Amino acid sequence: MKRTLIILLSLLAMNNIVVAASQRKQLFDDNWSFSQDSTQWTAVNLPHDWSIYGDFDKNHPAGNEGGYLPTGKGWYRKTLKVDGKTCKDQTMRLYFEGVYMNAEVYVNGRRAGGHPYGYSSFYVDITPYVKTGNNEVEVRVDNSQQKNCRWYSGSGIYRHVWLLTTGKRYIDEWSVSVATPDIHHVEIKADVVMEDGSRKAVAKTINVDQPHLWSPDDPYLYHTTIEAEGDVVPVSYGIRTITYSADRGLYLNNKPITLNGGCVHHDNGILGAAAYDAAEYRKAKLLKEAGFNAVRTSHNPPSEAFLRACDELGLLVIDEAFDGWRDKKTPHDYSTLIDQWWQEDIKAMVLRDRNHPSVFCWSTGNEVIERKKIEIIKTAHKLNNLCRQLDPQKRPVTSALCAWDPEWDIYDPLAAEHDIVGYNYMIFKSKSDHERVPNRVMMQTESYPRDTWNNYRKVQDEPWVIGDFVWTAIDYLGESGIGRWYYEGDVKGESWERPLYPWHGAHCGDIDFTGLRKPISHYRSMLWNDKGEQLYMAVREPDGYHGKVITSMWSTWPTFESWNWTGHEGKPIEVEVYSRYPKVRLYLQPAEGGKPGKGEQLIGEKEVSEGKATFTLPYQPGILRAEGGHETVTLQTAGEASAIRLTADRTTLKADGQDLAFITVELTDADGILNPTAANELMATVSGPATLVGFGNADIKDCDRYTDAKHKVWKGRALIIVRSTGKKGRITINVEGKALKSQHTTLTAAK
C-alpha cells in the first residue's frame, strides 16, 4: 500500500473520533481526509463522490458511459481514538454502505478487509487491529480500470460508513429476518455471534390481532427490537401479502394492483453519486408525487436510505443485483468478478434488504449478453435459488430479458428460471407468449417513454402483464445522450454508437435534474391514477423553430410549459392537453401592448382520446387557458426576465452535517411569470452554517461544474443544494445575476 510521508497535523486533529464502550452504532462519516495522490490532503465529510468535483472532459476514460467525468484512485484517512475498556472487552466493526470501487480497508497499516463490487454493502471486523489510543483507518479506492460501468458510477465512499461497537457476543445485523406466515403472526429470527465465532439462533414471535397492512396507499410500519446476550438491534417491518398468477394478475393484501413503475439509477443528478439521506428521500418523494407506485433499482442495489424512503412513502421495489453476468458489456464490469463474488454480492443484497416491505421482487440481472448460451440456465438457476434460500418471505425473482433479433422464444428455458419474467422493450410479444406459455407472469421492466399509452393498455387489458417500468423515471448522469432530441446538423445517433459530448447524461426521465416533472410525467400519471391531477397543458416545440427536430429511441418530442415562442407569430403551433375529463376546451386571450388583452377567444373543444387532445392554432402572445369540467390550467407569455425567485423545499435543516435543502431558482418577469426562455448566468453565495454542494440546471449539454458557485439557468430554472455543517444558526442563500435584482432566502439549522 502506498503511504504518505507528510501528514498534516491539523487534519489529524480534526479526524479524531472517540469511541466509548456503551455506543453500539455510530455514524462514521465526518472529518475524513482525502487524497488522490497521497500528498495533497483535503478534509471531507461522507458521503463523498470525488468524480462530481471534476471537469467534464471528452477525453476522460469513463467516456460516454461515465458522463465524461474523472475516475482514478483515491485514499481516505481518519483517526479513531479507542479507550482501554473498549479495546479489551468489545468487538469493533466498520460497516460500509457503498464504496465505488475495489475498496481496501486498512487499520494501523494492516489490511482489515474490503470489497470489489462498488454497489454492495460490507462489514469489516477491525477488532484484531485496533489498540488503545489513536488508530489510523485508511480506505483505498480504485476506480481506475475503465470502463467498468455503463452509466455514471461516481468514485469514492459515496454512501455512509458506520462504526459498530458491541460486546464479544453480538447479534449479526444481516441475520435478522422478519417473516409473516400469516398477517396475524410475525416471526423475527437472528443469530448471535459467539466469542469463538460460532452462532446461536434466537427468535421472537409477535401476535397481531388487528394488523395494519402496508401498501403504497397506506405505508404503515411497525417498529420493535430483538435482544440477546445483552445486545439489542432495532427492527422495522411492514405486514403485507403478495400473490400473482397469469389468470388473475398481481394482488397486494388480496386486492388487485398494477405497477406504474419507473427505472432509476443510483445517482442524484447534480450531486453525483453521493447518497445523502435527504437526497435519497427526495428522489423517492419525487417518484411518488409523479404518480409512480413502483420503482426498479437499475442495475444495482440501492442505498439503504432509498429503501427506507420507499418503505415510508409507499413505493414497491424491484431490487436488482447486477447489470450483466459472465459476458462483458464493458471491459472491467461485473464479468470480471462474478465467478468469485456472486454469492457474497447476492447475500449482501438479500440479507441487507429482505426486511423492507417495499421490496416485492429480486432481480438478478439485466439483458445479459450470453443469453443464447446453454450455460446461462445454470447461472440463472444458481443466482435465483440463492435469493429464494435467503429470503424467508419467498419474494419472486426476475431478471430483465431482451432480444436484438427475431429469436425471442429461444429464451423460454431462461424465462422459466424466473417467477416473474421481466421484458425489456418486448411486451409486444405478450399475447403470443401467453398462448405459448399460459402460466407465465410478465412485467415490462423497461419501456420507451413514447409508448406510454400502449404499455398502459397492455397492463389494463392483459392480466398476465402486471406492470410497466419506463426507462427512466428520472434523468441521470452517464449513458450520455440517451433520450435526447437533437437538430439536423448535430451529431447523429444513439449513446452506444458514438461519443455524444457535450451530452453527459440521459434525458429520458419523466423528471429532470431540477426535480421538474416533464409533460410526459403528467400524461403518464393521469393515465394510471384516477386520483390526483385531472388536467395539464404543454406546447410542442414547432419543428424548425430551433432547427429540424430529430428524436431518438428513448426521447419524446420536445414539449414544454411555455407560451413564449418569439418569431413564430402567426405560424401554426400545437398545444397538448392531457385530461381525465371526457372533453376539454382551449381558449386564448391575446396580449395587447405586451399585457393580457380583454377578450378571450375559444380555440375549440375536443374529445379526449388516449388521455389527450391536441389543438393547432396560430401562435400569438397572451394567455392560453385549457378547461375541463370545472378545472382550468393556464400558460402565459412572460416578459423579459427581471427577477429571481427562490423556493426552498424546507425552512429548517438538521444541524447534523448531513441534512440538505433544495432551493429551486426561477427567473421571472416583472409580474412574477416564469420566463421559460431565460438562460442567464447566476452567482450563488451561502453564509452561515451550511455549504454549497450543488448548483446546476436540467440542460445535460451544460458542462459547467455542478459544484461551482456560478451556473446558468435553463428554460428559466436551476437548482441549488446546500448542506448543513453541524452547527446551529441562520443560513442565507443569496443569488444574483447581471441586470437582475438579487434575491435571498433564509433557512435555520437547528439540533
Side-chain angles (χ1 to χ4, degrees), residues 30-222:
D30 290 348
N31 301 322
W32 289 76
S33 54
F34 168 73
S35 176
Q36 283 193 266
D37 60 12
S38 74
T39 59
Q40 299 295 320
W41 293 85
T42 304
V44 300
N45 294 325
L46 310 180
H48 179 249
D49 168 16
W50 82 67
S51 292
I52 201 64
Y53 288 87
D55 290 322
F56 294 100
D57 189 323
K58 62 183 178 181
N59 295 315
H60 280 318
N64 227 43
E65 290 86 345
Y68 300 102
L69 283 165
T71 50
K73 299 179 181 180
W75 289 262
Y76 293 84
R77 174 180 294 141
K78 184 180 176 80
T79 298
L80 171 66
K81 187 174 182 179
V82 182
D83 64 27
K85 181 174 175 56
T86 302
C87 199
K88 180 181 178 181
D89 300 332
Q90 305 292 303
T91 297
M92 298 180 65
R93 293 168 295 147
L94 291 176
Y95 175 50
F96 293 85
E97 292 193 14
V99 184
Y100 205 88
M101 60 179 296
N102 295 310
E104 301 280 352
V105 181
Y106 296 83
V107 178
N108 296 324
R110 300 165 64 192
R111 188 184 184 280
H115 201 89
Y117 187 42
Y119 297 114
S120 284
S121 302
F122 62 96
Y123 289 87
V124 176
D125 187 350
I126 63 173
T127 309
Y129 310 101
V130 297
K131 57 183 174 55
T132 301
N134 289 341
N135 296 266
E136 186 177 72
V137 178
E138 294 178 297
V139 182
R140 182 185 181 186
V141 184
D142 186 352
N143 192 21
S144 63
Q145 293 180 310
Q146 294 295 327
K147 301 173 181 179
N148 58 49
C149 199
R150 293 190 304 117
W151 56 90
Y152 176 78
S153 66
S155 302
I157 310 178
Y158 68 103
R159 293 177 182 167
H160 293 308
V161 180
W162 299 88
L163 176 65
L164 301 171
T165 307
T166 63
K168 293 298 183 182
R169 299 179 179 183
Y170 62 91
I171 296 172
D172 175 2
E173 295 80 9
W174 281 3
S175 74
V176 178
S177 67
V178 180
T180 50
D182 58 69
I183 62 173
H184 296 287
H185 298 90
V186 178
E187 296 178 351
I188 304 175
K189 297 180 179 180
D191 290 341
V192 177
V193 180
M194 309 300 282
E195 293 96 332
D196 59 0
S198 63
R199 289 175 172 252
K200 182 178 77 172
V202 295
K204 176 179 181 178
T205 300
I206 301 173
N207 297 321
V208 187
D209 292 333
Q210 295 180 318
H212 192 155
L213 301 184
W214 185 98
S215 72
D217 293 331
D218 186 12
Y220 186 82
L221 296 173
Y222 289 87

Side-chain angles (χ1 to χ4, degrees), residues 334-521:
Y334 199 72
S335 63
T336 65
L337 300 174
I338 185 170
D339 286 330
Q340 182 178 355
W341 287 96
W342 71 269
Q343 294 183 71
E344 292 302 314
D345 288 321
I346 289 290
K347 288 179 181 178
M349 176 180 74
V350 178
L351 296 180
R352 190 197 72 170
D353 297 346
R354 60 187 176 176
N355 297 330
H356 288 280
S358 58
V359 177
F360 85 96
C361 185
W362 307 112
S363 173
T364 55
N366 172 68
E367 297 179 359
V368 292
I369 298 297
E370 65 268 35
R371 54 190 175 276
K372 286 189 177 180
K373 297 179 179 178
I374 189 62
E375 295 85 0
I376 195 70
I377 309 303
K378 184 177 180 181
T379 302
H381 186 79
K382 290 196 301 184
L383 269 61
N384 294 358
N385 269 5
L386 184 55
C387 289
R388 297 180 185 111
Q389 292 167 16
L390 297 172
D391 181 12
Q393 298 278 28
K394 302 303 178 187
R395 292 169 176 86
V397 183
T398 190
S399 73
L401 305 186
C402 188
W404 298 317
D405 56 38
E407 298 178 314
W408 172 247
D409 56 358
I410 197 175
Y411 307 127
D412 281 357
L414 176 58
E417 289 294 330
H418 303 87
D419 304 301
I420 298 173
V421 182
Y423 283 54
N424 279 12
Y425 313 104
M426 298 298 297
I427 209 65
F428 64 90
K429 294 282 192 178
S430 61
K431 286 188 177 180
S432 57
D433 283 6
H434 179 65
E435 292 173 0
R436 189 175 71 255
V437 192
N439 65 341
R440 180 183 295 177
V441 181
M442 315 169 193
M443 58 185 170
Q444 187 158 217
T445 36
E446 289 182 28
S447 65
Y448 295 114
R450 64 170 180 252
D451 292 338
T452 298
W453 171 258
N454 290 336
N455 293 329
Y456 165 72
R457 287 309 327 165
K458 274 281 182 188
V459 177
Q460 308 310 309
D461 297 341
E462 301 173 19
W464 54 90
V465 181
I466 64 171
D468 174 64
F469 289 77
V470 68
W471 191 270
T472 57
I474 304 177
D475 286 351
Y476 58 93
L477 292 167
E479 280 192 285
S480 304
I482 187 173
R484 69 178 183 139
W485 76 88
Y486 57 100
Y487 302 109
E488 193 172 53
D490 291 346
V491 177
K492 297 180 180 180
E494 299 289 345
S495 63
W496 67 87
E497 294 177 320
R498 61 187 56 85
L500 293 175
Y501 187 86
W503 289 88
H504 55 268
H507 195 66
C508 48
D510 276 23
I511 303 165
D512 72 20
F513 273 1
T514 70
L516 180 69
R517 294 174 60 192
K518 302 175 189 176
I520 186 64
S521 171

Side-chain angles (χ1 to χ4, degrees), residues 6-17:
I6 303 174
I7 300 176
L8 299 180
L9 294 178
S10 60
L11 282 176
L12 278 177
M14 291 170 57
N15 291 353
N16 283 342
I17 181 168

